[in-house]
Amino acid sequence: MAEVKDKSISMLNRALDNVLDGDLTARVDLGLISKEYRGIGEKINEVVDVISKTKISKISKSIEFPNPASIFTPDGRRIDTNFLAAERYFRRPRDEIIGERIEALYTEEDAERIRDTFEESKRTGFSSCETTVRRGDGTTFPAVLNFAPVKDEKGSVINVLGTASDVSELKKKERELKAEKEYISDIFATMPDPLCIVDLNGTRTDCDPAMEEITGITREELIGKPAKIVFVEEEWAECDHAMKEVFKTGHATHLERTILAKDGRKIPVSAHVHVRRDADGNPIGAIVALRDVSEIKKREEELRLVLNNAPVGIMRFDRGGTILYENPAAKEISGVPEEERGRPKGIGMKITNMPNIDVTTSIEWMEKISSGERVSDRVRFKSLYGKESMLAAEVVPTFDEKGEVDGVIALIKDVTELEEKRREIERLSTMVENSGTPIALLDPTSRWKYVNPAFEKVFGFKREEVLGKLGFETPMITGEAKKIITEKRELYGKDAVTFELPLVKRSGEIVHILLTQTCIYDEKGEVTNWVGELNDITELKKREEELKEARDYTQNVLDGAAAPVLVFDRNINLNYVNSSFEQATGYTKEECIGDTMDEFMSKILKEEDVARMTDMAGRIASGEVVHSMPLTFLTKERRELPALLSIAPIKDVEGDIVGSVVTAMDITDLKRVEEALEYRADFENLIATISTNFINLHSDEIDTGINRALQALGEFAGIDRSYLFLFSEDGTMIFNTHEWCAEGIEPQIDNLQGLPINDFPWFMEKLNRFETIYTPRVANLPPEANAEKEHLQLQGIQSLIIVPMVYNRSLVGFLGFDSVRAEKRWAEGAIALLGMMGEFFANTLERKKMEDELKAKNTEMERFVYTVSHDLRSPLITISGFAGMLKRDIENSKREDVETDLLMIEDATKKMDHLLRDTLELSRVGRITNPPEDVSFKDIVKDALDQISGEIGSEEKDIEISLEDSISKSKKEKIVHVDRERIVEVLTNLISNSIRYIGDQSKPKIEIGYLRDENVFFVRDNGIGIPPDQHEKVFDLFYKIDKKSEGSGAGLAIVKRIVEVHGGRIWIESGGEGNDKGSTFYFTLPEPDEVVKNEE
Amino acid sequence: MRNRVNKPVILLVEDDDSHVMLVKRCLNDTNAAKEVCRVSNGKDALDYLFRRGDYADEEEKSPRPDLILLDLRMPKIDGLKVLEEMKGSKDLMDIPVVVLTTSENKDDMVRAYRNHANSYLVKPPDIDEFGEMMKETYSYWLNWNRRPK
């Protein structure tokens, strides 16, 4: 408790101290003080309140504020004021102004404002206003009034404290500042260059009208935006950087920028950035001054264009000879290669140090530069780039502002060519002056301008007599000359015109002049001069005339020559060809003469020959003599013309070669004969080869051989198809058996099988006469060959040859050679050779046929031998078997069996004998023949039946044997040309065969006859028949269908043999096996005439 | 003969009568057959074996043979064809066939064996060899046919 007490006491003490110190804020917080002291605290607070109400009016007396200060009642009446203020500022006694209303001290016009400000202070706690103080002595001064209310603890205003300060000095300064500001802003506003103020962030804070004008953006829009945005966007980064640099270093800077105006124009400007600083020297922003340099840029560009495109080299040197500038032309002239001209090669270098200019040149240049005078000269220039030239240099000094030479501008021009031309002209005029040929120069109006001394000498006229006169007025001109010149004038042009002109000398003598007239043009293409060269050809003319006569004579002779003759001149150009050449080659003289050797050769020779004869010109030039060199010319129609060439040089009196004469002998005919011979030889060779091959061919290979031969012939002859046809056995049809086709040619072989020969009457007629049919043009076949024509045209054949194939005087087939794609003409010899070929083919085929037959015979023979050996062995085996048995029986004393054994052996022996006899008989059929005779078939049948009658009887079979109607009733007897006995044998064999196999028949019957109109004979029975698989076998020797049947089985084999020996065939037709089926044996026999033919 | 009861019935296929006589003598002498039936060509042989044609329904006249003696060269149908057909038949393939021929041709022999001939003998046979062969062939086939199946 004591503590609280103490704390309260100390608080009260502190408050009292504060009060005593005059601190009126020192009120006691009653809540913190213990109850017993709370009364004291209330008292203290009361005191404080009283004091604070009263004390303020007193305190001001004791404090001397430097400025006037007053205390006012809340309604604005002055309670007190400090003495100093009253005296010094208001210049009125203090007491006088106390009690006055506040506005009394100020001018009347300010009174209301002051009152308002006063009232405002009561509401807001503070207010201020400017006003003018009216002093006691009548003067005024500007002042600022400040009011602050004094409030009691409840917040009510009890007093208002007011102070005034004299601002007359401030006002003065302000006025001055304002004047200055206006001045600056005037400047700012009237500046033609855009300006803007930028703060440290680079934001534009102000700008001038020029800025608005150049950008087209209003000031309002510009201010407050980053300064960079008026520039083109690509420069922004750079702007930021530059700005930063400027603020960092503080240095003003100069920049090139481009403004992007609102309308899209880009305006180049130069920007000057100046840093603004505050009073302490810290940067606060920058002033950016821009200048529109587009005009300057344009000028610069123009200047650059001028300099870059100036045809003269322009260089600027300083006085020391250092290159400050050189334009491209200068670089070009000094020989800097094009690819290096873009670089500032020589700039900054002293001319004497330039590595690409030699010392002499650089010294010469240095002299010109340092002289400081205007110099115009030519210098030899030799650059290290290897260019040597003559330069015309114009060196012009330039002056600085002080009027002193600060360098030179050098204009240079490469005058190498001009210089050369000048020299050339000098040379030419010397030549003209000294020329032996009269030369004259006329102006475009035909007025004589110049003649050379030779002119004077030749014509005998002095220059003065001629010069200045018109062309036709001069004394040399004859009437004829006038006429000629008038005619020729039309030809005057760029090219020189040359013509002959008779002129007259002073002596009256006529001179033959060869005038060469040339025009000289200026650069505009206008004639400036006519130059005439007047060669005296009087003498030449005379010679020429003589020469022409001689030449005409020679040409007449050569033209008459039968062989083509060509003459080459000294330069190996073609000088002459004769008529015979023209006729042979089709080229006219005009087309050839004047040709160089190369031109001529490419015209007249094949390409490969041109390539081969490149040395020809050289050989001719060297005077080589060539005899009969074979060469093929090409005529104008590109036909080949084989020739033999002879070349001989032509020499002049001194023996120098002045040309050469070439004679060509046309050997076309010779060649043709040669080629024909060669062709024939080749053809013969081919045929010989084919023939040899044929002879050596194995019969299996003959088909291949024929095909190969057809191909070889076809390919050799260059035809499209070769083929072979054979006749059918009966000769009524043709078969295409072999064919070769060239590539791309449709084979016909499949379409040409079994064609009736009647379809080709015309061909057959010729072929039957063994004629070769040569048809070079199918379309031209005669009307009687229409059938053939149609057939051939159907296959698209244009030409063909048909060669008969004849063997043994009979037509076996034919060879054919077709041309499909083009017509083909065959040489006579070739046709004959093909005829031979037909024979070869026929022989070969016949040989094949014979060989095949032989082979068949061999096979047959083998089989025969096999059969016979088997059949002959059979009884032998029986014999040997029973012989063995016999031996055993004897050993075993089996007598009863001995007899049987012997019987068996005997039987077998007999059988064996039979077989051997038959075999012998069969072989005899072939070997022993009676001469054939013409005999009636009827007679043969009669003989046979006579022989067989006994047999029929013995068989006791009632068999009816009859002659068929064809024999019995025929008026004309059928005559055959045969070995009579043998054919009787055939019939007896066949008849007894029929009897043997007649079987069980109620009406056994055998018929003999022949087919009407054919040479086929038959024996027919109605016996047991023969199964088809036995039709061939029955003719085998010893073959018996039934072993039990009688006979050895050799009969039919013998029959077949006899028929075949007669050149006929035998075959069987049968209804098959079984009673009543019957069999017919057919066979052919030779007719009388045929037999006769064969005998021959 | 060791066992008379077991002598075979033989089918002799032979076109040549004198050869038939010879073979019959051999069979007789060697006592190798119980009975000999003869046909004179291949066609008849097949008819006999397959019981067709003339031999249809004639079982008594043409008993099933136990062994066949077969000539090769015969009219109509030859021995090789007979072999091929009967050996191709399930019923007949078990009958042993002895080819008896004049042919010493190697081809014939090979072809005969290829067509399953059981033996090949060239005419005229040696009687002793013939006898032994017949016995051996028959007893072998007899045993073969009696084997449990």
Side-chain angles (χ1 to χ4, degrees), chain A residues 866-867 870-871 873-874 877-878 880-882 885 888-889 894 897 901 904 911 1040-1041 1043-1044, chain B residues 15-16 18-19 21-22 25-26 29 40 73 75-76 102-105 108 122-124 127-128:
Chain A
Y866 177 79
T867 315
H870 178 270
D871 288 335
R873 262 192 85 195
S874 194
I877 281 161
T878 311
S880 113
F882 278 101
M885 286 297 169
R888 239 171 106 89
D889 288 342
K894 285 174 88 178
D897 287 337
D901 295 340
M904 292 310 292
K911 194 177 174 191
K1040 292 194 283 185
I1041 293 177
K1043 277 276 167 178
K1044 285 174 195 141
Chain B
D15 63 330
D16 193 310
S18 53
H19 287 189
M21 295 291 282
L22 185 64
R25 263 301 296 275
C26 288
D29 278 17
S40 58
R73 259 186 64 93
K76 294 188 181 169
T102 55
S103 171
E104 286 173 62
N105 191 312
D108 284 341
V122 177
K123 289 191 274 191
I127 188 147
D128 295 329

Side-chain angles (χ1 to χ4, degrees), chain A residues 531-647:
Chain A
V531 180
E533 197 184 319
L534 303 96
N535 278 300
D536 181 356
I537 53 163
T538 319
E539 204 49 34
L540 206 69
K541 263 220 113 85
K542 214 182 282 167
R543 289 264 175 76
E544 210 172 64
E545 212 101 312
E546 287 166 13
L547 204 64
K548 190 170 177 292
E549 247 168 65
R551 196 176 288 155
D552 282 352
Y553 175 74
T554 322
Q555 287 198 358
N556 280 337
V557 171
L558 290 178
D559 262 348
V565 176
L566 305 91
V567 178
F568 287 93
D569 67 12
R570 195 190 294 268
N571 302 320
I572 323 297
N573 292 337
L574 191 59
N575 205 353
Y576 169 77
V577 294
N578 67 351
S579 317
S580 170
F581 174 87
E582 289 179 309
Q583 282 159 19
T585 64
Y587 286 108
T588 62
K589 286 181 172 142
E590 290 72 27
E591 285 172 308
C592 299
I593 289 173
D595 277 1
T596 62
M597 185 53 127
D598 284 347
E599 286 166 353
F600 180 65
M601 286 206 301
S602 63
K603 194 179 285 174
I604 200 89
L605 293 184
K606 288 192 284 180
E607 245 170 72
E608 60 262 34
D609 284 337
V610 174
R612 196 161 55 84
M613 311 245 322
T614 44
D615 60 337
M616 206 58 210
R619 284 168 66 183
I620 292 178
S622 70
E624 190 180 319
V625 176
V626 177
H627 291 294
S628 303
M629 177 175 67
L631 193 67
T632 306
F633 284 133
L634 277 181
T635 67
K636 197 172 180 183
E637 288 84 37
R638 310 313 279 170
R639 188 166 49 78
E640 291 191 5
L641 188 74
L644 289 178
L645 234 62
S646 299
I647 304 170

Side-chain angles (χ1 to χ4, degrees), chain A residues 401-418:
Chain A
E401 53 270 33
K402 286 173 205 154
E404 276 171 24
V405 173
D406 64 350
V408 292
I409 290 174
L411 305 175
I412 54 173
K413 197 168 184 186
D414 188 343
V415 292
T416 320
E417 267 178 51
L418 268 171

Side-chain angles (χ1 to χ4, degrees), chain A residues 13-24 26 48 51 55:
Chain A
N13 282 337
R14 206 163 54 224
L16 273 174
D17 284 347
N18 285 345
V19 171
L20 292 173
D21 282 347
D23 183 354
L24 296 182
V48 169
I51 290 172
K55 214 178 182 182

Side-chain angles (χ1 to χ4, degrees), chain A residues 485-498:
Chain A
I485 290 171
T486 315
E487 272 172 24
K488 297 283 177 183
R489 190 162 286 176
E490 291 169 19
L491 299 175
Y492 289 8
K494 285 228 152 91
D495 295 327
V497 181
T498 303

Side-chain angles (χ1 to χ4, degrees), chain A residues 471-490:
Chain A
F472 285 170
E473 286 171 5
T474 43
M476 301 84 67
I477 301 294
T478 60
E480 199 190 342
K482 269 186 199 169
K483 213 173 100 195
I484 293 173
I485 290 171
T486 315
E487 272 172 24
K488 297 283 177 183
R489 190 162 286 176
E490 291 169 19

Side-chain angles (χ1 to χ4, degrees), chain A residues 325-436:
Chain A
Y325 173 78
E326 55 184 340
N327 74 346
K331 287 180 186 169
E332 189 186 343
I333 289 164
S334 55
V336 178
E338 198 167 349
E339 61 273 15
E340 289 182 23
R341 282 180 204 153
R343 301 180 206 160
K345 203 69 180 169
I347 292 170
M349 293 194 91
K350 210 163 165 164
I351 189 132
T352 44
N353 293 338
M354 295 274 286
N356 62 334
I357 299 172
D358 73 334
V359 183
T360 346
T361 310
S362 61
I363 288 170
E364 273 179 61
W365 276 92
M366 202 49 218
E367 277 167 11
K368 288 185 199 312
I369 291 163
S370 55
S371 71
E373 280 167 35
R374 197 187 170 102
V375 185
S376 180
D377 200 359
R378 275 158 202 252
V379 276
R380 263 192 331 279
F381 176 81
K382 190 180 168 197
S383 82
L384 287 193
Y385 288 108
K387 190 177 171 183
E388 260 187 85
S389 48
M390 178 63 79
L391 299 184
E394 190 87 16
V395 182
V396 185
T398 58
F399 302 95
D400 62 10
E401 53 270 33
K402 286 173 205 154
E404 276 171 24
V405 173
D406 64 350
V408 292
I409 290 174
L411 305 175
I412 54 173
K413 197 168 184 186
D414 188 343
V415 292
T416 320
E417 267 178 51
L418 268 171
E419 186 68 11
E420 258 165 36
K421 260 185 204 151
R422 193 176 57 79
R423 290 216 192 110
E424 180 76 20
I425 287 167
E426 261 170 37
R427 252 201 320 276
L428 280 173
S429 31
T430 318
M431 266 170 61
V432 168
E433 192 69 9
N434 297 327
S435 169

